[in-house]
Each structure stands twice: as C-alpha cells, then as structure tokens.
Amino acid sequence: MRVLVVEDEEQMADAIARGLRLNAMAVDVAYDGQEALDLASYVDYSVIVLDRDLPEVHGDDVCRELMARSRIIMLTAAGQLHDRVDGLTIGADDYLVKPFAFAELVARVRTLARRTGRASAPVVERAGIRLDPACRTVTRDGRDVSLNRKEFDVLHELLRADGELITSTGLRRSVWDEFAESGTGVLRVTLTSLRRKLGAPGVIMNVPGQGYRL
C-alpha cells in the first residue's frame, strides 16, 4: 500500500509517516499542497492523508485535484460539524480530527485502501502462479505459497506487468517509498526470498542493469 502524508507541520508529518511505515505501508511525505500535487503526478497513491490548511496550495484544492485518483482522509484541527461536512462535500472519503488516536488513523487508512481500485483488482495468473489481491493469497500449480506483505506486493507488480520489464527503481517506488530509491538492497533480499518460496523452476528473471520480469 502506498500512502502520501500531506502536512505542513514537519514533526507531525514525519511522526505519522514513521508510524505508518511500522504498519507495513510505503509512505511519502509532502509539506505543502504544491509538493503533494507534484508527487501525485508521477506516483499512484492508494490513500492520501491530507491536512486541510496547507501553504502553497490549500488542502481543499489538493483534494479536488486528486480525489478521482486516490482515497483521501482529511486530518485537521477543524472539527466542527460544518467543517466535516465541508470536507466530505469537497470530495474527501473520510475525516479525522486532531488530536487523534494513531491506531484509529491506521484502521481508517487500511479501510480506505480496501476501497481502492487496486484493492479490488481481479485475480492475476501467469506461469502457474495465481494471485488474488482481495484475499491476499498466492498459489503455484495449486500449492499455497505464504508470502509476507512486501513479497506479495513485488509479485503482484511483476504479474501485472504481464511479462514486461520493470526497472528496479520502478519496483522500489511501487512497493516501498522514496527512501528505498537509494539502493539499500531491500529489493534484492525480498526477491531472493520470493524466488525461494515460489520454488523451481525459477520464473523471475533478472535483466542485468535493467530490471526484472516474470
């Protein structure tokens, strides 16, 4: 799951991002509305956690621009009934008032993610592998394959590419977040484990200097 946190209070934004990453989410952070629009122009986000009172571009305008592409939860100190109604009318899917319980934010983000197009995507099959995005299950030649979250997401991206090459950077951006782009080796470790769990014959091809295909 890829999440964008948009919050101009940097300490709060970074704290929210850390907490969501601890809950196995890939998280990017924007500190103003224009940065949020820039990031969303080339990254697909399942959910956007959006402060309403933002510099550069107001959160309401960000919501109007991005609501057709991502689920949006407004996170703001404005908690009167008319504020909540306004936020939902603009196009937000949910509204959470500061201060909030972090466990509730995690639950709401996950609920919204299940309502995205990707969460309800059809079953994909290739090379004897069957992946069900809704149930988060994988089988190979009828055998159940138990994968962790990142292994599942990497395999999903490779299956969705339908044999086309995906660059290493593309995989890291899709499954992790901006901090995984600097070559930490996490993708290589995940692919090694994924190959082992899928078993023989190997189906994930490494194209040196270019990327991976299934």
Side-chain angles (χ1 to χ4, degrees):
M1 181 197 312
R2 192 75 180 263
V3 179
L4 175 62
V5 174
V6 191
E7 167 63 64
D8 63 324
E9 295 183 19
E10 294 190 14
Q11 288 187 334
M12 175 174 286
D14 294 343
I16 291 172
R18 285 195 301 271
L20 294 178
R21 290 182 185 120
L22 289 174
N23 282 273
M25 302 180 197
V27 186
D28 295 336
V29 178
Y31 301 117
D32 62 63
Q34 186 58 57
E35 186 180 9
L37 293 175
D38 291 343
L39 285 170
S41 69
Y42 65 87
V43 179
D44 292 327
Y45 293 104
S46 300
V47 179
I48 298 175
V49 179
L50 178 66
D51 185 29
R52 194 168 183 184
D53 188 16
L54 292 169
E56 302 298 332
V57 178
H58 195 275
D60 291 355
D61 294 322
V62 174
C63 182
R64 293 186 185 97
E65 180 72 22
L66 301 181
M67 65 182 184
R69 288 185 274 167
S70 303
R71 298 293 183 179
I72 296 175
I73 176 170
M74 280 191 171
L75 193 63
T76 175
Q80 297 298 317
L81 176 60
H82 67 86
D83 294 315
R84 298 197 299 273
V85 170
D86 286 347
L88 295 171
T89 301
I90 289 166
D93 298 279
D94 201 355
Y95 201 104
L96 189 58
V97 179
K98 303 174 186 176
F100 57 89
F102 194 79
E104 182 179 5
L105 174 62
V106 171
R108 289 179 182 235
V109 169
R110 285 178 171 161
T111 297
L112 288 182
R114 287 195 293 270
R115 292 162 54 189
T116 63
R118 178 171 291 188
S120 59
V123 171
V124 286
E125 297 185 62
R126 186 178 179 86
I129 299 169
R130 184 179 191 275
L131 182 148
D132 186 334
C135 298
R136 303 282 297 186
T137 57
V138 174
T139 60
R140 181 171 190 191
D141 298 326
R143 171 180 61 87
D144 289 337
V145 180
S146 179
L147 303 178
N148 65 32
R149 289 179 182 271
K150 296 306 184 185
E151 292 163 354
F152 184 96
D153 291 343
V154 167
L155 180 60
H156 192 192
E157 292 298 320
L158 290 169
L159 285 167
R160 289 174 67 243
D162 197 26
E164 295 296 320
L165 183 77
I166 304 180
T167 66
S168 299
T169 299
L171 272 176
R172 288 196 297 268
R173 284 179 173 173
S174 297
V175 178
W176 283 271
D177 54 38
E178 59 185 330
F179 297 103
E181 293 181 12
S182 57
T184 62
V186 64
L187 175 60
R188 184 176 64 255
V189 171
T190 299
L191 282 165
T192 298
S193 177
L194 177 57
R195 286 182 171 120
R196 177 179 56 80
K197 291 181 178 181
L198 290 175
V203 292
I204 300 176
M205 298 176 55
N206 176 21
V207 181
Q210 297 184 49
Y212 300 88
R213 66 161 54 99
L214 191 146

